[in-house]
Amino acid sequence: MTPNAVSTGSRRSTPSRSDSGQSRGGSGQSRRGFLASTAVAAAAVAGGAPLLAACGGADSGKKDGTTTGKDATKLLPAFVASTVVAPDVAPKNGSAAGFTRAIPAARLKASVPAKKGKGTALTVMAPLWGTPPSPGNPYYKAMNEAIGTDVTWQNQDGNTYDQKLGAVLASSDIPDVVVVPGWNLGGKIPSAIDAKFEDLGPYLSGDKVKAYPNLAAIPTDAWQRSIFGGRLRGLPMPASYVTNIAPFYRKDLFEAKGWQLPKSADEFLALAKEITSARAKVWACDDLTWTAYNMFGVLSGSDKALGWNLVDGKLVNRIETQEYLEALEWTRKLFDAGVVHPDAKAQNQGDAGNRFTAGQVMIYNNDLSHWYAKTSEQAAQNPAFAMAAMDVPGHAGGAPKLWATNPANIWAFVRKGSSKAVIEDVLAVADFTAAPYGTKERMLTDYGVEGVHHTVKDGLPVKTDAGNLEVNSSWMFVASPAPYVAHPDTPEVTRAMVEWQQRMGAVTAKSAFYGMTVTEPSRWTGLMNDFEQLEKDVVRGRKKVSDMQQAVSEWRSKGGDQLRDWYRKLLDTTGSAAS
């Protein structure tokens, strides 16, 4: 059985859904590097006016502040946790919930007991990676029938979605619903969101959300991140805020060789030298820059705003910190020592995950969802294969200091000017697709119709060819439940994934702008564009650490210090949403 992973190509991976797991993984999204997302997350705001995703008070109409504290409380939906199915591993420290068992179809519960949709015709634009299903296919028909809606999908190539998104939002022909991933919040898209999409507050704020129980069960942090332009505009796909980048190791080979997991940066380097044998074509690791950032406590690079934090009363950017330089320097030591696979040093040569499963590298880092994906992939090919994620060690030993990522990164928006009937039918779709694990709605959304899109083998749903062709991620982009992991075919992996998140979550802090979607003034949009490549050059020895220090100095003089003042004013005015 292989995972039905949805990939956005080289930039992102959406949470995976297992063919045998009745679910999507809750680990959130993977990232290419510390600035891979921030290079495209900055938005151009007309005139350079400060703008936050949660801008202005509920009635102010301003675009020079943020909505936090009491003002946000007026906008946010009430939270009512779902009690449909108790998880086998309860969420803790920001982790996903874990489900280790399959639930037979006869025991699935209904979280939406009656059709909420009124049959309104809706058009929805969303990214898709792969071949779009034919319109009116049996899966789409079954979903529309169950919800009581008439949804027509306008799927666009996920790899070029930002281009299509910009063109559509600049036109007057906007679909009823538009899905916007966080990594596409570039150019004028954030300001277009404020101008082109509806305020859902009148339908969802406070106790109003209780008309949609599955939406009420979405964590408050995800809703906080869905406030755009002082209004509750987005329907979120929640994610765990714990880092989704895990350092995986070949557990089977570690045990066979007697290698012990390192507890510090020095131990890591010593172990890497012991493991590596270029003659045997075995190297200790692939590029571990992402893990280095976590080991050394570098502020998150998954979003520009998360890269700022108050340090001794001063707002500091991640690239200005000693931790950042130390992480780069340590990663460079790995390359200099020859313990990194040559293809990783050359960049864009092959795939790190394939080198890992082939036994060419013993350690690599990637999205937490790889744990299930690779385990499932290798089950038939190499029964002895076993992998695990090591706890991120603190660079000097002891626990690391990790930083929270964002609690939501994909949203669906409703076109401004939509009728009450359209909005309510969109919310009917969202309430259905946000159904939790163990429900009829979740099973239909993830696996389609039994006998058509999936069969049941050994108590587990397995997609048919029709299921692989027609059942896709589009529906879950309208809204999703609180993050969870459920792979009943590998319960030990499910439990291990969630418990890893829990341990890492225990040492995770929230930086000053956690949970906010900040749109920087256009005059500073490109300030950090060159840092990702410079980082790669530094760790590979093509540039010096002093070159990075010089680049940081130039960043300050070219606008970094002004940008700091802008962020500080924002923080002083609005306060932090982090708790």
Side-chain angles (χ1 to χ4, degrees):
M1 302 175 190
T2 58
N4 179 31
V6 181
S7 172
T8 67
S10 61
R11 185 169 300 282
R12 297 278 178 170
S13 298
T14 67
S16 65
R17 293 184 297 167
S18 158
D19 277 355
S20 55
Q22 289 185 301
S23 81
R24 63 179 179 87
S27 61
Q29 306 164 353
S30 67
R31 53 192 168 93
R32 293 180 63 192
F34 86 94
L35 287 177
S37 59
T38 59
V40 296
V45 180
L51 177 64
L52 216 77
C55 297
D59 301 310
S60 69
K62 292 182 180 179
K63 295 184 178 181
D64 56 357
T66 180
T67 307
T68 57
K70 293 181 180 179
D71 287 336
T73 301
K74 300 173 186 176
L75 306 179
L76 296 172
F79 175 71
V80 183
S82 173
T83 57
V84 175
V85 178
D88 301 302
V89 187
K92 184 173 68 174
N93 301 332
S95 79
F99 296 90
T100 61
R101 67 196 188 283
I103 298 177
R107 291 174 50 200
L108 294 174
K109 298 181 180 180
S111 63
V112 184
K115 291 183 184 180
K116 284 189 168 71
K118 306 300 185 209
T120 307
L122 304 173
T123 54
V124 184
M125 187 177 98
L128 182 75
W129 293 268
T131 304
S134 59
N137 67 69
Y139 172 60
Y140 286 175
K141 286 181 178 178
M143 289 291 290
N144 277 322
E145 172 60 28
I147 301 169
T149 51
D150 180 17
V151 175
T152 298
W153 289 92
Q154 297 180 359
N155 292 122
Q156 308 294 332
D157 183 355
N159 295 313
T160 56
Y161 191 67
D162 56 338
Q163 299 170 27
K164 183 65 177 180
L165 189 60
V168 168
L169 295 184
S171 73
S172 58
D173 186 18
I174 298 177
D176 296 308
V177 178
V178 177
V179 173
V180 180
W183 56 91
N184 287 151
L185 286 176
K188 296 182 179 179
I189 290 175
S191 53
I193 287 173
D194 298 338
K196 302 293 180 74
F197 294 120
E198 273 290 341
D199 175 12
L200 301 179
Y203 300 85
L204 297 176
S205 293
D207 288 341
K208 294 171 185 173
V209 77
K210 293 180 180 178
Y212 306 95
N214 291 331
L215 296 183
I218 290 176
T220 300
D221 280 6
W223 286 117
Q224 167 73 48
R225 180 131 160 92
S226 304
I227 299 175
F228 288 75
R231 303 288 187 270
L232 185 68
R233 300 188 197 275
L235 294 166
M237 173 186 280
S240 166
Y241 65 70
V242 181
T243 178
N244 60 312
I245 299 301
F248 295 111
Y249 69 98
R250 284 292 299 266
K251 187 171 184 287
D252 54 337
L253 299 179
F254 264 63
E255 291 178 349
K257 298 289 187 178
W259 294 325
Q260 299 298 308
L261 295 179
K263 297 181 180 179
S264 69
D266 287 344
E267 285 187 15
F268 202 118
L269 180 57
L271 174 64
K273 291 177 180 178
E274 179 184 347
I275 290 173
T276 300
S277 173
R279 178 176 297 179
K281 297 189 182 304
V282 174
W283 287 265
C285 57
D286 227 86
D287 184 352
L288 293 182
T289 306
W290 300 342
T291 293
Y293 289 144
N294 285 333
M295 287 173 61
F296 284 83
V298 182
L299 287 160
S300 176
S302 64
D303 178 86
K304 279 192 173 180
L306 293 181
W308 293 94
N309 197 41
L310 282 174
V311 179
D312 297 328
K314 180 182 179 182
L315 203 59
V316 175
N317 191 277
R318 67 193 301 273
I319 63 173
E320 300 177 282
T321 64
Q322 187 64 30
E323 291 86 352
Y324 175 70
L325 294 177
E326 290 175 348
L328 292 177
E329 193 167 24
W330 180 80
T331 309
R332 181 179 180 132
K333 288 181 181 179
L334 295 179
F335 279 95
D336 288 346
V339 301
V340 180
H341 195 286
D343 288 351
K345 185 169 186 176
Q347 294 179 241
N348 302 320
Q349 301 289 321
D351 178 83
N354 291 338
R355 293 192 283 268
F356 178 76
T357 54
Q360 295 176 13
V361 298
M362 297 295 106
I363 305 166
Y364 85 116
N365 48 206
N366 215 309
D367 187 273
L368 189 63
S369 63
H370 276 224
W371 201 336
Y372 172 79
K374 291 299 182 184
T375 300
S376 179
E377 170 192 282
Q378 293 296 307
Q381 302 176 35
N382 181 8
F385 175 89
M387 65 185 288
M390 67 176 70
D391 288 3
V392 178
H395 69 94
K401 183 172 185 179
L402 305 180
W403 294 97
T405 60
N406 276 319
N409 280 298
I410 300 177
W411 302 270
F413 298 93
V414 182
R415 178 176 51 82
K416 183 165 286 189
S418 294
S419 67
K420 183 173 183 284
V422 164
I423 295 174
E424 289 182 342
D425 267 20
V426 172
L427 295 179
V429 174
D431 194 50
F432 192 98
T433 61
Y437 179 82
T439 62
K440 296 177 181 178
E441 298 83 13
R442 182 83 267 130
M443 179 62 81
L444 179 61
T445 301
D446 287 349
Y447 288 95
V449 179
E450 184 176 354
V452 177
H453 300 107
H454 74 272
T455 58
V456 177
K457 182 179 180 181
D458 299 328
L460 301 173
V462 181
K463 283 183 182 174
T464 62
D465 289 343
N468 285 323
L469 183 64
E470 296 174 2
V471 179
N472 60 74
S473 60
S474 297
W475 291 90
M476 73 176 183
F477 288 153
V478 179
S480 296
Y484 68 92
V485 179
H487 300 304
D489 57 331
T490 55
E492 70 285 354
V493 172
T494 298
R495 182 174 294 276
M497 288 172 67
V498 175
E499 290 178 347
W500 184 88
Q501 283 188 319
Q502 292 175 345
R503 294 193 300 274
M504 298 303 94
V507 291
T508 295
K510 297 175 181 178
S511 51
F513 294 94
Y514 166 80
M516 303 184 203
T517 306
V518 178
T519 303
E520 295 178 359
S522 59
R523 61 185 176 275
W524 296 314
T525 294
L527 269 179
M528 302 186 79
N529 285 357
D530 297 331
F531 275 80
E532 182 179 6
Q533 185 57 51
L534 180 56
E535 163 202 58
K536 293 176 180 178
D537 289 340
V538 169
V539 299
R540 286 166 174 79
R542 297 190 291 254
K543 296 283 187 178
K544 300 177 181 178
V545 173
S546 60
D547 292 323
M548 178 62 76
Q549 293 172 307
Q550 179 61 32
V552 172
S553 178
E554 292 176 1
W555 168 84
R556 290 185 183 126
S557 63
K558 290 179 179 178
D561 284 336
Q562 291 176 290
L563 186 59
R564 184 197 328 279
D565 293 341
W566 181 86
Y567 268 101
R568 184 58 193 256
K569 181 178 180 182
L570 196 61
L571 191 63
D572 289 346
T573 302
T574 66
S576 175
S579 58

PDB file of all heavy atoms in Angstrom, residues 133 137-139 447-449 451-454 462-472:
ATOM      1  N   PRO A 133      -9.415  15.479 -12.433  1.00  0.00           N
ATOM      2  CA  PRO A 133     -10.469  14.513 -12.749  1.00  0.00           C
ATOM      3  C   PRO A 133     -11.476  15.125 -13.728  1.00  0.00           C
ATOM      4  O   PRO A 133     -11.603  16.353 -13.816  1.00  0.00           O
ATOM      5  CB  PRO A 133     -11.122  14.241 -11.399  1.00  0.00           C
ATOM      6  CG  PRO A 133     -10.161  14.735 -10.380  1.00  0.00           C
ATOM      7  CD  PRO A 133      -9.416  15.860 -11.023  1.00  0.00           C
ATOM      8  N   ASN A 137     -17.526  13.616 -12.306  1.00  0.00           N
ATOM      9  CA  ASN A 137     -17.170  12.216 -12.063  1.00  0.00           C
ATOM     10  C   ASN A 137     -17.903  11.675 -10.833  1.00  0.00           C
ATOM     11  O   ASN A 137     -18.443  12.447 -10.039  1.00  0.00           O
ATOM     12  CB  ASN A 137     -15.647  12.081 -11.922  1.00  0.00           C
ATOM     13  CG  ASN A 137     -15.115  12.769 -10.688  1.00  0.00           C
ATOM     14  OD1 ASN A 137     -15.346  12.345  -9.557  1.00  0.00           O
ATOM     15  ND2 ASN A 137     -14.394  13.881 -10.895  1.00  0.00           N
ATOM     16  N   PRO A 138     -17.943  10.359 -10.650  1.00  0.00           N
ATOM     17  CA  PRO A 138     -18.708   9.773  -9.548  1.00  0.00           C
ATOM     18  C   PRO A 138     -18.313  10.277  -8.158  1.00  0.00           C
ATOM     19  O   PRO A 138     -19.165  10.385  -7.276  1.00  0.00           O
ATOM     20  CB  PRO A 138     -18.428   8.270  -9.699  1.00  0.00           C
ATOM     21  CG  PRO A 138     -18.186   8.086 -11.168  1.00  0.00           C
ATOM     22  CD  PRO A 138     -17.441   9.327 -11.590  1.00  0.00           C
ATOM     23  N   TYR A 139     -17.035  10.587  -7.965  1.00  0.00           N
ATOM     24  CA  TYR A 139     -16.615  11.109  -6.660  1.00  0.00           C
ATOM     25  C   TYR A 139     -17.209  12.483  -6.416  1.00  0.00           C
ATOM     26  O   TYR A 139     -17.772  12.754  -5.346  1.00  0.00           O
ATOM     27  CB  TYR A 139     -15.089  11.164  -6.603  1.00  0.00           C
ATOM     28  CG  TYR A 139     -14.532  11.866  -5.382  1.00  0.00           C
ATOM     29  CD1 TYR A 139     -14.810  11.410  -4.093  1.00  0.00           C
ATOM     30  CD2 TYR A 139     -13.715  12.994  -5.516  1.00  0.00           C
ATOM     31  CE1 TYR A 139     -14.283  12.048  -2.973  1.00  0.00           C
ATOM     32  CE2 TYR A 139     -13.182  13.634  -4.399  1.00  0.00           C
ATOM     33  CZ  TYR A 139     -13.472  13.156  -3.139  1.00  0.00           C
ATOM     34  OH  TYR A 139     -12.955  13.801  -2.028  1.00  0.00           O
ATOM     35  N   TYR A 447     -11.775   8.924   0.708  1.00  0.00           N
ATOM     36  CA  TYR A 447     -11.732   7.664  -0.037  1.00  0.00           C
ATOM     37  C   TYR A 447     -12.856   7.455  -1.038  1.00  0.00           C
ATOM     38  O   TYR A 447     -12.854   6.454  -1.758  1.00  0.00           O
ATOM     39  CB  TYR A 447     -11.707   6.482   0.944  1.00  0.00           C
ATOM     40  CG  TYR A 447     -10.389   6.377   1.630  1.00  0.00           C
ATOM     41  CD1 TYR A 447     -10.186   6.962   2.876  1.00  0.00           C
ATOM     42  CD2 TYR A 447      -9.317   5.741   1.021  1.00  0.00           C
ATOM     43  CE1 TYR A 447      -8.952   6.909   3.497  1.00  0.00           C
ATOM     44  CE2 TYR A 447      -8.076   5.682   1.638  1.00  0.00           C
ATOM     45  CZ  TYR A 447      -7.900   6.267   2.867  1.00  0.00           C
ATOM     46  OH  TYR A 447      -6.663   6.227   3.477  1.00  0.00           O
ATOM     47  N   GLY A 448     -13.801   8.367  -1.100  1.00  0.00           N
ATOM     48  CA  GLY A 448     -14.871   8.211  -2.067  1.00  0.00           C
ATOM     49  C   GLY A 448     -15.833   7.097  -1.701  1.00  0.00           C
ATOM     50  O   GLY A 448     -15.982   6.731  -0.535  1.00  0.00           O
ATOM     51  N   VAL A 449     -16.480   6.541  -2.709  1.00  0.00           N
ATOM     52  CA  VAL A 449     -17.538   5.553  -2.509  1.00  0.00           C
ATOM     53  C   VAL A 449     -16.948   4.146  -2.462  1.00  0.00           C
ATOM     54  O   VAL A 449     -16.176   3.750  -3.340  1.00  0.00           O
ATOM     55  CB  VAL A 449     -18.563   5.638  -3.657  1.00  0.00           C
ATOM     56  CG1 VAL A 449     -19.673   4.593  -3.479  1.00  0.00           C
ATOM     57  CG2 VAL A 449     -19.160   7.046  -3.727  1.00  0.00           C
ATOM     58  N   GLY A 451     -16.481   0.392  -3.081  1.00  0.00           N
ATOM     59  CA  GLY A 451     -16.839  -0.412  -4.240  1.00  0.00           C
ATOM     60  C   GLY A 451     -16.576   0.290  -5.552  1.00  0.00           C
ATOM     61  O   GLY A 451     -16.514  -0.348  -6.600  1.00  0.00           O
ATOM     62  N   VAL A 452     -16.440   1.615  -5.488  1.00  0.00           N
ATOM     63  CA  VAL A 452     -16.142   2.407  -6.690  1.00  0.00           C
ATOM     64  C   VAL A 452     -14.736   3.000  -6.580  1.00  0.00           C
ATOM     65  O   VAL A 452     -13.887   2.802  -7.446  1.00  0.00           O
ATOM     66  CB  VAL A 452     -17.177   3.536  -6.896  1.00  0.00           C
ATOM     67  CG1 VAL A 452     -16.800   4.385  -8.119  1.00  0.00           C
ATOM     68  CG2 VAL A 452     -18.573   2.966  -7.035  1.00  0.00           C
ATOM     69  N   HIS A 453     -14.513   3.706  -5.477  1.00  0.00           N
ATOM     70  CA  HIS A 453     -13.234   4.396  -5.291  1.00  0.00           C
ATOM     71  C   HIS A 453     -12.300   3.688  -4.324  1.00  0.00           C
ATOM     72  O   HIS A 453     -11.105   3.990  -4.287  1.00  0.00           O
ATOM     73  CB  HIS A 453     -13.484   5.824  -4.815  1.00  0.00           C
ATOM     74  CG  HIS A 453     -14.288   6.636  -5.773  1.00  0.00           C
ATOM     75  ND1 HIS A 453     -15.599   6.981  -5.543  1.00  0.00           N
ATOM     76  CD2 HIS A 453     -13.984   7.139  -6.996  1.00  0.00           C
ATOM     77  CE1 HIS A 453     -16.061   7.695  -6.559  1.00  0.00           C
ATOM     78  NE2 HIS A 453     -15.106   7.787  -7.453  1.00  0.00           N
ATOM     79  N   HIS A 454     -12.830   2.797  -3.528  1.00  0.00           N
ATOM     80  CA  HIS A 454     -11.979   2.030  -2.632  1.00  0.00           C
ATOM     81  C   HIS A 454     -12.636   0.701  -2.287  1.00  0.00           C
ATOM     82  O   HIS A 454     -13.857   0.544  -2.396  1.00  0.00           O
ATOM     83  CB  HIS A 454     -11.643   2.803  -1.355  1.00  0.00           C
ATOM     84  CG  HIS A 454     -12.790   2.911  -0.386  1.00  0.00           C
ATOM     85  ND1 HIS A 454     -13.724   3.931  -0.430  1.00  0.00           N
ATOM     86  CD2 HIS A 454     -13.162   2.128   0.667  1.00  0.00           C
ATOM     87  CE1 HIS A 454     -14.610   3.790   0.539  1.00  0.00           C
ATOM     88  NE2 HIS A 454     -14.284   2.704   1.226  1.00  0.00           N
ATOM     89  N   VAL A 462      -8.578   0.669   0.719  1.00  0.00           N
ATOM     90  CA  VAL A 462      -7.521   0.738  -0.291  1.00  0.00           C
ATOM     91  C   VAL A 462      -8.142   1.267  -1.576  1.00  0.00           C
ATOM     92  O   VAL A 462      -9.136   0.730  -2.068  1.00  0.00           O
ATOM     93  CB  VAL A 462      -6.893  -0.644  -0.549  1.00  0.00           C
ATOM     94  CG1 VAL A 462      -5.771  -0.518  -1.588  1.00  0.00           C
ATOM     95  CG2 VAL A 462      -6.363  -1.246   0.739  1.00  0.00           C
ATOM     96  N   LYS A 463      -7.567   2.310  -2.119  1.00  0.00           N
ATOM     97  CA  LYS A 463      -8.141   2.939  -3.307  1.00  0.00           C
ATOM     98  C   LYS A 463      -8.042   2.046  -4.537  1.00  0.00           C
ATOM     99  O   LYS A 463      -7.048   1.338  -4.738  1.00  0.00           O
ATOM    100  CB  LYS A 463      -7.459   4.281  -3.593  1.00  0.00           C
ATOM    101  CG  LYS A 463      -7.915   5.393  -2.683  1.00  0.00           C
ATOM    102  CD  LYS A 463      -7.255   6.701  -3.069  1.00  0.00           C
ATOM    103  CE  LYS A 463      -7.672   7.811  -2.118  1.00  0.00           C
ATOM    104  NZ  LYS A 463      -6.926   9.052  -2.399  1.00  0.00           N
ATOM    105  N   THR A 464      -9.070   2.120  -5.346  1.00  0.00           N
ATOM    106  CA  THR A 464      -9.071   1.473  -6.647  1.00  0.00           C
ATOM    107  C   THR A 464      -8.416   2.417  -7.656  1.00  0.00           C
ATOM    108  O   THR A 464      -8.059   3.553  -7.324  1.00  0.00           O
ATOM    109  CB  THR A 464     -10.502   1.174  -7.096  1.00  0.00           C
ATOM    110  OG1 THR A 464     -11.209   2.429  -7.226  1.00  0.00           O
ATOM    111  CG2 THR A 464     -11.239   0.302  -6.081  1.00  0.00           C
ATOM    112  N   ASP A 465      -8.306   1.972  -8.896  1.00  0.00           N
ATOM    113  CA  ASP A 465      -7.769   2.845  -9.933  1.00  0.00           C
ATOM    114  C   ASP A 465      -8.636   4.085 -10.083  1.00  0.00           C
ATOM    115  O   ASP A 465      -8.123   5.196 -10.257  1.00  0.00           O
ATOM    116  CB  ASP A 465      -7.685   2.101 -11.267  1.00  0.00           C
ATOM    117  CG  ASP A 465      -6.596   1.038 -11.272  1.00  0.00           C
ATOM    118  OD1 ASP A 465      -5.714   1.103 -10.395  1.00  0.00           O
ATOM    119  OD2 ASP A 465      -6.639   0.147 -12.148  1.00  0.00           O
ATOM    120  N   ALA A 466      -9.958   3.898 -10.000  1.00  0.00           N
ATOM    121  CA  ALA A 466     -10.869   5.046 -10.097  1.00  0.00           C
ATOM    122  C   ALA A 466     -10.661   5.997  -8.935  1.00  0.00           C
ATOM    123  O   ALA A 466     -10.721   7.226  -9.087  1.00  0.00           O
ATOM    124  CB  ALA A 466     -12.326   4.570 -10.146  1.00  0.00           C
ATOM    125  N   GLY A 467     -10.391   5.439  -7.749  1.00  0.00           N
ATOM    126  CA  GLY A 467     -10.147   6.278  -6.584  1.00  0.00           C
ATOM    127  C   GLY A 467      -8.886   7.095  -6.732  1.00  0.00           C
ATOM    128  O   GLY A 467      -8.851   8.289  -6.403  1.00  0.00           O
ATOM    129  N   ASN A 468      -7.839   6.468  -7.248  1.00  0.00           N
ATOM    130  CA  ASN A 468      -6.586   7.196  -7.453  1.00  0.00           C
ATOM    131  C   ASN A 468      -6.735   8.287  -8.496  1.00  0.00           C
ATOM    132  O   ASN A 468      -6.049   9.317  -8.438  1.00  0.00           O
ATOM    133  CB  ASN A 468      -5.484   6.218  -7.874  1.00  0.00           C
ATOM    134  CG  ASN A 468      -4.984   5.375  -6.715  1.00  0.00           C
ATOM    135  OD1 ASN A 468      -4.888   5.861  -5.592  1.00  0.00           O
ATOM    136  ND2 ASN A 468      -4.695   4.111  -6.974  1.00  0.00           N
ATOM    137  N   LEU A 469      -7.633   8.092  -9.433  1.00  0.00           N
ATOM    138  CA  LEU A 469      -7.834   9.062 -10.504  1.00  0.00           C
ATOM    139  C   LEU A 469      -8.736  10.219 -10.073  1.00  0.00           C
ATOM    140  O   LEU A 469      -8.489  11.375 -10.419  1.00  0.00           O
ATOM    141  CB  LEU A 469      -8.433   8.368 -11.730  1.00  0.00           C
ATOM    142  CG  LEU A 469      -8.638   9.233 -12.980  1.00  0.00           C
ATOM    143  CD1 LEU A 469      -7.300   9.720 -13.524  1.00  0.00           C
ATOM    144  CD2 LEU A 469      -9.387   8.439 -14.050  1.00  0.00           C
ATOM    145  N   GLU A 470      -9.774   9.906  -9.315  1.00  0.00           N
ATOM    146  CA  GLU A 470     -10.811  10.904  -9.038  1.00  0.00           C
ATOM    147  C   GLU A 470     -10.737  11.531  -7.652  1.00  0.00           C
ATOM    148  O   GLU A 470     -11.030  12.721  -7.485  1.00  0.00           O
ATOM    149  CB  GLU A 470     -12.204  10.265  -9.224  1.00  0.00           C
ATOM    150  CG  GLU A 470     -12.470   9.819 -10.659  1.00  0.00           C
ATOM    151  CD  GLU A 470     -13.777   9.049 -10.810  1.00  0.00           C
ATOM    152  OE1 GLU A 470     -14.500   8.893  -9.795  1.00  0.00           O
ATOM    153  OE2 GLU A 470     -14.074   8.610 -11.927  1.00  0.00           O
ATOM    154  N   VAL A 471     -10.374  10.766  -6.634  1.00  0.00           N
ATOM    155  CA  VAL A 471     -10.357  11.296  -5.264  1.00  0.00           C
ATOM    156  C   VAL A 471      -9.071  12.087  -5.071  1.00  0.00           C
ATOM    157  O   VAL A 471      -7.975  11.559  -5.198  1.00  0.00           O
ATOM    158  CB  VAL A 471     -10.449  10.159  -4.233  1.00  0.00           C
ATOM    159  CG1 VAL A 471     -10.416  10.729  -2.819  1.00  0.00           C
ATOM    160  CG2 VAL A 471     -11.729   9.345  -4.450  1.00  0.00           C
ATOM    161  N   ASN A 472      -9.203  13.375  -4.771  1.00  0.00           N
ATOM    162  CA  ASN A 472      -8.023  14.240  -4.670  1.00  0.00           C
ATOM    163  C   ASN A 472      -8.164  15.210  -3.510  1.00  0.00           C
ATOM    164  O   ASN A 472      -9.158  15.203  -2.786  1.00  0.00           O
ATOM    165  CB  ASN A 472      -7.809  14.992  -5.986  1.00  0.00           C
ATOM    166  CG  ASN A 472      -8.991  15.865  -6.345  1.00  0.00           C
ATOM    167  OD1 ASN A 472      -9.205  16.911  -5.745  1.00  0.00           O
ATOM    168  ND2 ASN A 472      -9.795  15.432  -7.329  1.00  0.00           N
TER     169      ASN A 472
END
